[in-house]
Each structure stands twice: as C-alpha cells, then as structure tokens.
Amino acid sequence: LWAFTVWQRHREKIGADPLVHLSLLRIPPLRAGLTGLFSQNLILMGVFFVVPLYLQLVLGLNALQTGIKMLPISITMFLAAAAGSRLSTRFTVRGIVRTGLTTTVLAILILIATIDPELKDAGFAVSMAILGIGMGLIASQLGNVVQSSVDASGRGEAGGLQYTGQQLGSSLGVALIGAGSSDLLKGAMGSVTELLRPRVGSLRTAARRVDAEYYIPHLAHAPMEPPAATVRIAQGKCEVWGPFQSP
C-alpha cells in the first residue's frame, strides 16, 4: 500500500494519469461511505462464513438445510434495500444508515443468544431476518453516498474505490472471523480429545464389550483415515456420534 501510494503521487507530480487520485480520499462523504461499505461487508461475509460452519459442523445440517436456515437474511436484505430508496425521500441518509447499524448490532446480539448445541429455530430465523434488514438499509444508502460525493469526472474512480472497499471488507471478515472460529474449534477439539482419551486397560476391565459395524449413508468430506466416533451408553441404550452429516 505504501509503494502504491508513493507511485500514484509520483504520477500526479509528473503530470501522468494515476490509477486513482488519492485526493478523493480527502472528501468526507466519500471517506465515510467507503468506511461504511468496508464495515458492512466485513460483518456480512464474517456471518456468511461462520454461521454455515456452525450449522454444518456443529448441528450436522446438509447444504440444503443450511441454505434454508440462511434464507431469511437474503429475503429481508433484498426487501430492505428496495425500501431504502423510498425511505431516503423522507429521512436523511445519516439517519437511515444509523438505523441500519443499530439494527445490525441488535440482530447480532439476538443471534449470539440463540446459538446453542440445540438451535432455537424461531429465534435464529428472527435474528437472521433482522440482520438482513440492517444490512439492506445500509447497502441502499452507501452506494449513493459514494457516487454523489464526486462530480461526473470522478465517478469511475469512486466506483473503483467502492468496489475495493467492499472486497477488502469481505476478505478481512472471512479471514478474521475464520481465524477466530478455527482457534475456538481447535481448542474445543483439544478439550474433547483429553476428555475422551482412553485409559490403559479400559477394554480389559470393561464389564461388557460390544463389537458392531455401522453403515454411514452420507459423508460429504471423506477422510483418508478410518473415522472415529463417540459413544454414550446409558439406561440400556447406546448412542453413537460419527463423522456423517445425516441423522
């Protein structure tokens, strides 16, 4: 970034056309719009990464079930973005964006409260729908903010900066939240491994040994090594958790 900045300023000094005029970043509305787009995509792509990860790896849902669970955010985001253009004729852009940010924060808090080993379907759907409303309100305004902050000659460069801010936010959202969730999963797997570590001689001292074969109907990510499973025996029943993605 430093080298790019130096090169662009050098081209401006010698009278050549730079890829982007860095003076555009001094325009407050443009800078605010880019910051908002960056933040929006960071949150949105982070949610789109970690929520399907939770639904598939923790709850064991397949791709279709995961898509249905994620559907409310897509529907409400589309509707809110369409309504945002009409709301801008009655309310200020700043007010709409602030409402979208507040709605987004509220939705994330509700979403966190619904995440458990047993998913609360109604609460999860409501939180995803509210999140879509917040994201839609923000998206409906920030593009206009960026484009209207420059004259006709700078629209192309403003559009390039807008796209760059969106992609940068998406990349960092996936990277940061993905790294955090990966560390949490590794820590959880380490704790489970220690908890389930077999004791020496446990098979020899067991009151009863059961040998059985199980057929796995669907395995999306087939491992090269033999899959392991967790077993719970209680009240004369045996439950087996294996690495498959169907009940």
Side-chain angles (χ1 to χ4, degrees), residues 216 219 223-229 243:
I216 300 177
L219 190 61
M224 297 297 293
E225 70 279 359

Side-chain angles (χ1 to χ4, degrees), residues 63-145:
L64 178 59
Q65 292 170 328
T66 300
I68 293 175
K69 294 289 186 184
M70 298 288 293
L71 192 58
I73 188 175
S74 300
I75 296 175
T76 56
M77 186 173 179
F78 172 78
L79 295 177
S85 59
R86 296 185 178 182
L87 292 175
S88 61
T89 61
R90 300 180 57 186
F91 303 97
T92 63
V93 173
R94 179 178 297 180
I96 296 175
V97 172
R98 286 180 176 177
T99 301
L101 289 174
T102 303
T103 305
T104 299
V105 173
L106 176 63
I108 292 175
L109 294 177
I110 299 175
L111 182 62
I112 293 175
T114 62
I115 294 179
D116 283 313
E118 294 293 335
L119 183 64
K120 302 173 183 177
D121 292 333
F124 181 81
V126 169
S127 64
M128 295 297 284
I130 296 176
L131 182 60
I133 293 174
M135 291 286 103
L137 291 176
I138 296 173
S140 67
Q141 303 302 316
L142 293 181
N144 292 334
V145 170

Side-chain angles (χ1 to χ4, degrees), residues 49-50 53 171-186:
F49 176 82
V50 74
L53 189 69
S171 301
L172 288 180
V174 172
L176 294 177
I177 298 182
S181 60
S182 176
D183 291 340
L184 289 175
L185 288 174
K186 289 180 181 178

Side-chain angles (χ1 to χ4, degrees), residues 17-238:
D17 289 331
L19 181 63
V20 58
H21 290 86
L22 299 179
S23 58
L24 291 175
L25 297 177
R26 299 174 185 172
I27 303 175
L30 176 63
R31 191 166 59 245
L34 294 176
T35 303
L37 288 168
F38 170 83
S39 303
Q40 178 203 13
N41 281 269
L42 188 147
I43 296 172
L44 188 61
M45 290 301 106
V47 169
F48 278 0
F49 176 82
V50 74
V51 171
L53 189 69
Y54 160 74
L55 293 175
Q56 294 191 11
L57 296 185
V58 177
L59 300 183
L61 302 183
N62 57 34
L64 178 59
Q65 292 170 328
T66 300
I68 293 175
K69 294 289 186 184
M70 298 288 293
L71 192 58
I73 188 175
S74 300
I75 296 175
T76 56
M77 186 173 179
F78 172 78
L79 295 177
S85 59
R86 296 185 178 182
L87 292 175
S88 61
T89 61
R90 300 180 57 186
F91 303 97
T92 63
V93 173
R94 179 178 297 180
I96 296 175
V97 172
R98 286 180 176 177
T99 301
L101 289 174
T102 303
T103 305
T104 299
V105 173
L106 176 63
I108 292 175
L109 294 177
I110 299 175
L111 182 62
I112 293 175
T114 62
I115 294 179
D116 283 313
E118 294 293 335
L119 183 64
K120 302 173 183 177
D121 292 333
F124 181 81
V126 169
S127 64
M128 295 297 284
I130 296 176
L131 182 60
I133 293 174
M135 291 286 103
L137 291 176
I138 296 173
S140 67
Q141 303 302 316
L142 293 181
N144 292 334
V145 170
V146 171
Q147 293 297 321
S148 62
S149 61
V150 297
D151 55 20
S153 62
R155 296 282 169 79
E157 293 180 70
L161 289 173
Q162 176 180 337
Y163 182 77
T164 301
Q166 291 174 322
Q167 295 303 311
L168 183 61
S170 300
S171 301
L172 288 180
V174 172
L176 294 177
I177 298 182
S181 60
S182 176
D183 291 340
L184 289 175
L185 288 174
K186 289 180 181 178
M189 290 304 296
S191 300
V192 172
T193 301
E194 291 296 328
L195 181 63
L196 299 179
R197 188 182 299 278
R199 298 295 185 263
V200 177
S202 59
L203 289 178
R204 293 195 300 268
T205 59
R208 182 180 178 185
R209 176 172 174 171
V210 178
D211 294 323
E213 294 183 0
Y214 296 91
Y215 171 72
I216 300 177
H218 174 68
L219 190 61
H221 310 288
M224 297 297 293
E225 70 279 359
T230 301
V231 178
R232 181 175 70 179
I233 301 176
Q235 300 179 352
K237 295 182 179 180
C238 175

Side-chain angles (χ1 to χ4, degrees), residues 1-23:
L1 290 177
W2 174 81
F4 175 78
T5 302
V6 171
W7 179 247
Q8 295 307 301
R9 288 177 176 173
H10 170 72
R11 290 186 61 85
E12 288 182 0
K13 288 181 180 180
I14 64 176
D17 289 331
L19 181 63
V20 58
H21 290 86
L22 299 179
S23 58

